[in-house]
Amino acid sequence: MASAPTSKYNSHSLENESIKRTSRDGVNRDVGETLPRLPGEIRITDKEVIYICPFNGPIKGRVYITNYRLYLRSLETIFQLGPLGYLILNLSFGETMDSALILDVPLGVISRIEKMGGATSRGENSYGLDITCKDLRNLRFALKQEGHSRRDMFEILTRYAFPLAHSLPIFAFLNEEKFNVDGWTVYNPVEEYRRQGLPNHHWRITFINKCYKLCDTYPALLVVPYRASDEDLRRVATFRSRNRIPVLSWIHPENKTVIVRCSQPLVGMGGKRNKEDERYLDVIRETNRQVNKLTIYDARPNVNAVANKATGGGYESDDVYHNAELFFLDIHNIHVMRESLKKVKDIVYPNVEESHWLSSLESTHWLEHIKLVLTGAIQVADRVSSGKSSVVVHCSDGWDRTAQLTSLAMLMLDSFYRSIEGFEILVQKEWISFGHKFASRIGHGDKNHADADRSPIFLQFIDCVWQMSKQFPTAFEFNERFLITILDHLYSCRFGTFLYNCESAREKQKVTERTVSLWSLINSNKDKFKNPFYTKEINRVLYPVASMRHLELWVNYYIRWNPRIKQQQPNPVEQRYMELLALRDEYIKRLDELQLANSAKLSDPSASPSSPSQMMPHVQTHF
């Protein structure tokens, strides 16, 4: 594998931030060094450009392009008007030493690269490149018009930002970082189901999908009713979209009701029936003798579910599935969510229009969609927690809205998933293993920015988690930085965690052998991602308030690129609390050392104290 000599580098602390200070960027630089590099990262080219900063205007700088990132360092000091009109050094942009502006953008974040202006363009800085990013920002660079100066930069950026279109490997396969923790060992399905008390008398583990022949988008290991044979499963698969049969996601430890996930039934316009499918859902209901009905939550709006009949899909009608009750949750499809996020970007980047902020935010409908997803998950969690019935969740194919609902409901019900490793397991299980189409929804290494399959479904899930963490500030072991880091590396292509659409594709590409896991980065430095206010509670169910009055836009994520929006990073209360905890640990350690030293003196007859007051040394503290 080709590699270049790497700079001194601390792989545990590099943050995927676009604009940063030297003291926080996690890179150990020698004097005069200008480009941080990961092990396996190769410098391709560099060029002098004008960065058209939307906040400070044109800035002269030098841009470096590697096979992983675009890195710009300004060649001049950055100034801007402060809130009172004074000319100030822009420390939110600059480095602590020389106030140089730094842009550090993983190429995986880039969605689109366009040429700006032509050879005959007139006007200052009208000729260059316009780069659209997946994380709600744009970058514009002006270049000299002489000699087609932008051609090389355009071709190199296009080649390495969209490697799949040029038969090149995604950077994750070139990354040679080493961590002291292997993130690929975090999730073991057998251990996770065993933690839930499975298998038991009613549920069994099956390896019918070991070679992904039953369903190529499901994991190899599935949990199904004990009374359903493998032949029954094959028959049911013929009546479920993409063969995604109903399988167990979670079981309540006390009342034994379950959350089951699947795809829509293939009813079609003719109202087709499948006796095996009807019987199979009845068997799921009968795994808990205390309930008379099985509750089916269809994530779609009713009208969409009906419309899907025209393409062979549909839903479980009450007159066919006699012991089930069906509810529609009115969550819109991937196309609606994609357009909603585009509207969010329009109002937050580059400028925030203060005078019409509330009406502009309302017009995006983003928080309405967050509300509907949370409301649906609350209904699932409440039905299971109360023991009223077991629940089946599906949308159309069972890999978008279904994953949102099951994972959020499990987060509400099971405190284990609110720990750092528990949340990693939840993501690995309900999203990665069960076939959320990350490659299609994010477009890793793909140049087709207008692909109709692109959609921010996973971002929406993380947003919902953030909303819950705001309402329950002591319930989650992880902090906001943890969630933002996950989203940053959803796009970065630095790790193999979110690559490809399903487990079978990852196995074929040997992702766990050839790439590094994101959880390796996080778990090797957990303290950075811990919530200092976390209080571990067992069996506490969280019911967030899914009201528009209690939901808010996640400013520290969606508007983080705007230096004029005041961000408190880290939270001053949280920072002070962390300092006090560190001080406490320091004094406890010091006390232990003194007590150990005192014990040694007591056991030594030649060093016996002359008075009782000498037996315990005095420890002075700030408290």
Side-chain angles (χ1 to χ4, degrees), residues 450-578:
D451 190 338
D453 274 346
R454 302 274 179 98
S455 191
I457 301 301
F458 187 73
L459 164 61
Q460 206 169 43
F461 159 69
I462 296 293
D463 194 329
C464 288
V465 175
W466 179 80
Q467 302 285 350
M468 288 178 62
S469 71
K470 289 286 286 183
Q471 294 189 26
F472 301 97
T474 64
F476 297 87
E477 185 186 15
F478 49 83
N479 57 19
E480 182 181 63
R481 187 180 201 171
F482 174 79
L483 297 177
I484 292 177
T485 299
I486 290 174
L487 288 177
D488 282 344
H489 292 299
L490 171 68
Y491 306 119
S492 75
C493 294
R494 178 175 161 186
F495 302 102
T497 305
F498 298 115
L499 299 184
Y500 301 102
N501 282 333
C502 56
E503 189 177 288
S504 61
R506 290 181 200 100
E507 280 202 10
K508 187 177 179 181
Q509 298 297 330
K510 299 181 179 179
V511 168
T512 58
E513 299 172 31
R514 298 170 59 204
T515 71
V516 181
S517 168
L518 169 59
W519 315 132
S520 299
L521 170 77
I522 289 173
N523 295 345
S524 63
N525 194 7
K526 271 188 183 177
D527 288 345
K528 195 163 68 172
F529 303 103
K530 282 186 176 179
N531 169 20
F533 305 118
Y534 174 59
T535 304
K536 188 173 182 179
E537 295 178 290
I538 308 299
N539 299 330
R540 180 193 176 192
V541 180
L542 303 183
Y543 290 120
V545 180
S547 159
M548 295 297 286
R549 289 180 292 110
H550 289 80
L551 301 178
E552 56 184 284
L553 188 74
W554 187 3
V555 171
N556 282 352
Y557 180 75
Y558 296 110
I559 319 186
R560 59 183 166 151
W561 310 121
N562 190 332
R564 294 167 190 168
I565 300 297
K566 178 65 176 175
Q567 298 182 36
Q568 292 186 331
Q569 287 281 31
N571 181 304
V573 177
E574 181 178 326
Q575 188 173 19
R576 180 59 182 151
Y577 190 75
M578 291 290 282

Side-chain angles (χ1 to χ4, degrees), residues 379-447:
Q379 290 184 55
V380 173
D382 183 56
R383 186 64 59 134
V384 171
S385 178
S386 64
K388 291 176 182 176
S389 74
S390 290
V391 168
V392 174
V393 181
H394 71 72
C395 46
S396 298
D397 292 317
W399 50 44
D400 289 314
R401 289 165 283 193
T402 300
Q404 289 178 329
L405 292 168
T406 57
S407 53
L408 285 170
M410 291 159 68
L411 196 64
M412 294 172 193
L413 290 163
D414 194 335
S415 59
F416 169 71
Y417 296 125
R418 297 172 216 149
S419 66
I420 288 176
E421 288 202 19
F423 190 80
E424 293 167 354
I425 287 171
L426 181 66
V427 170
Q428 282 286 155
K429 179 178 179 294
E430 290 300 297
W431 289 87
I432 298 169
S433 180
F434 269 97
H436 174 66
K437 297 171 68 176
F438 281 104
S440 299
R441 299 291 177 257
I442 306 303
H444 297 126
D446 183 15
K447 68 177 181 180

Side-chain angles (χ1 to χ4, degrees), residues 117-133:
T120 59
S121 295
R122 295 291 175 262
E124 193 177 8
N125 301 326
S126 60
Y127 177 85
L129 297 177
D130 197 338
I131 299 172
T132 304
C133 297

Side-chain angles (χ1 to χ4, degrees), residues 207-222:
F207 294 93
I208 188 175
N209 203 41
K210 185 177 181 181
C211 297
Y212 308 104
K213 289 182 179 177
L214 178 75
C215 175
D216 61 359
T217 60
Y218 260 5
L221 186 149
L222 304 170

Side-chain angles (χ1 to χ4, degrees), residues 76-95:
E76 55 193 44
T77 304
I78 310 305
F79 296 92
Q80 77 166 30
L81 285 178
L84 299 177
Y86 298 109
L87 194 66
I88 60 169
L89 212 66
N90 186 355
L91 294 180
S92 62
F93 268 85
E95 294 187 335

Side-chain angles (χ1 to χ4, degrees), residues 1-280:
M1 187 181 295
S3 64
T6 56
S7 60
K8 291 182 181 179
Y9 175 74
N10 175 3
S11 61
H12 302 297
S13 58
L14 181 68
E15 289 298 308
N16 182 21
E17 295 174 333
S18 175
I19 297 165
K20 62 190 72 164
R21 303 180 186 184
T22 301
S23 59
R24 290 171 47 214
D25 68 0
V27 179
N28 299 320
R29 292 193 184 87
D30 293 325
V31 176
E33 185 182 6
T34 55
L35 176 65
R37 276 184 286 171
L38 297 166
E41 184 178 357
I42 302 169
R43 175 170 158 179
I44 308 298
T45 190
D46 62 274
K47 187 180 286 287
E48 195 167 301
V49 299
I50 301 292
Y51 169 52
I52 313 300
C53 177
F55 312 109
N56 291 318
I59 299 169
K60 185 181 290 187
R62 179 162 289 276
V63 69
Y64 301 84
I65 300 172
T66 72
N67 57 345
Y68 171 67
R69 80 183 83 208
L70 179 154
Y71 185 88
L72 175 123
R73 183 185 183 91
S74 70
L75 302 175
E76 55 193 44
T77 304
I78 310 305
F79 296 92
Q80 77 166 30
L81 285 178
L84 299 177
Y86 298 109
L87 194 66
I88 60 169
L89 212 66
N90 186 355
L91 294 180
S92 62
F93 268 85
E95 294 187 335
T96 54
M97 295 298 292
D98 57 7
S99 301
L101 178 143
I102 298 293
L103 283 177
D104 190 352
V105 185
L107 299 182
V109 170
I110 295 175
S111 173
R112 184 180 188 181
I113 306 168
E114 293 180 289
K115 292 178 179 177
M116 179 177 71
T120 59
S121 295
R122 295 291 175 262
E124 193 177 8
N125 301 326
S126 60
Y127 177 85
L129 297 177
D130 197 338
I131 299 172
T132 304
C133 297
K134 298 169 184 175
D135 57 2
L136 285 85
R137 55 179 162 159
N138 286 9
L139 307 172
R140 298 184 75 189
F141 298 104
L143 294 101
K144 295 176 182 177
Q145 288 175 286
E146 302 86 51
H148 303 285
S149 63
R150 73 177 172 192
R151 180 185 296 165
D152 289 349
M153 186 172 170
F154 176 80
E155 289 177 354
I156 289 170
L157 271 178
T158 301
R159 181 177 176 83
Y160 289 97
F162 312 123
L164 297 185
H166 298 87
S167 301
L168 291 173
I170 286 174
F171 178 76
F173 292 100
L174 305 174
N175 187 2
E176 297 173 2
E177 285 179 273
K178 304 294 182 187
F179 295 94
N180 56 17
V181 176
D182 182 5
W184 293 122
T185 64
V186 163
Y187 175 57
N188 180 313
V190 173
E191 289 180 7
E192 168 55 15
Y193 287 122
R194 188 178 292 136
R195 183 191 69 83
Q196 296 186 31
L198 298 166
N200 60 23
H201 295 304
H202 298 290
W203 296 91
R204 68 184 178 94
I205 292 175
T206 177
F207 294 93
I208 188 175
N209 203 41
K210 185 177 181 181
C211 297
Y212 308 104
K213 289 182 179 177
L214 178 75
C215 175
D216 61 359
T217 60
Y218 260 5
L221 186 149
L222 304 170
V223 175
V224 297
Y226 194 85
R227 290 169 51 203
S229 68
D230 283 358
E231 188 54 41
D232 292 333
L233 301 180
R234 291 188 184 93
R235 291 183 182 132
V236 171
T238 63
F239 194 66
R240 290 282 164 174
S241 177
R242 313 280 182 172
N243 294 351
R244 293 172 68 91
I245 63 172
V247 294
L248 182 144
S249 279
W250 190 80
I251 185 168
H252 196 284
E254 295 169 2
N255 63 40
K256 303 305 177 186
T257 54
V258 296
I259 297 175
V260 169
R261 63 180 295 167
C262 60
S263 61
Q264 66 182 337
L266 301 178
V267 175
M269 294 297 288
K272 286 189 290 186
R273 292 181 59 175
N274 182 297
K275 292 290 185 184
E276 285 79 10
D277 190 76
E278 294 165 25
R279 175 62 190 146
Y280 183 70

